[in-house]
């Protein structure tokens, strides 16, 4: 069902396209099997989790110190 959306470049020499799991994992990250309501809830949960994450805070601090971005 995702065939035309994520085509593997024909004759690609890039190692990332070899093996069946790469494209499958990419498809899974787009959550195309969810309804719009389920996707909205998932995104809200991801944002909430990110806001509470120590790694997000550390990365934001790094960006601020090195690039003036926050």
């Amino acid at each position: 069902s995702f065939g035309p959306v994520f085509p593997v470049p024909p004759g690609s020499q890039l190692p990332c396209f070899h093996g069946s799991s790469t494209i499958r994992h990419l498809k899974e990250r787009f959550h195309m099997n969810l309804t719009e309501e389920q996707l909205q809830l998932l995104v809200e949960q991801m944002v909430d989790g990110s806001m509470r994450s120590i790694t997000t805070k550390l990365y934001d601090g790094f960006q601020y110190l090195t690039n003036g971005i926050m």
Side-chain angles (χ1 to χ4, degrees), residues 10-62:
S12 174
Q13 298 301 312
L14 297 173
C16 62
F17 289 111
H18 296 280
S20 61
S21 64
T22 302
I23 299 299
R24 182 174 45 83
H25 289 146
L26 181 60
K27 290 177 188 178
E28 289 171 0
R29 293 186 74 176
F30 281 95
H31 303 285
M32 297 181 75
N33 59 325
L34 300 180
T35 66
E36 190 168 332
E37 292 80 18
Q38 290 171 323
L39 188 57
Q40 183 175 350
L41 180 60
L42 175 64
V43 170
E44 289 172 0
Q45 291 170 342
M46 291 170 74
V47 170
D48 287 343
S50 177
M51 289 174 58
R52 287 180 270 129
S53 170
I54 186 66
T55 55
T56 299
K57 290 178 176 70
L58 291 171
Y59 186 72
D60 287 347
F62 171 79

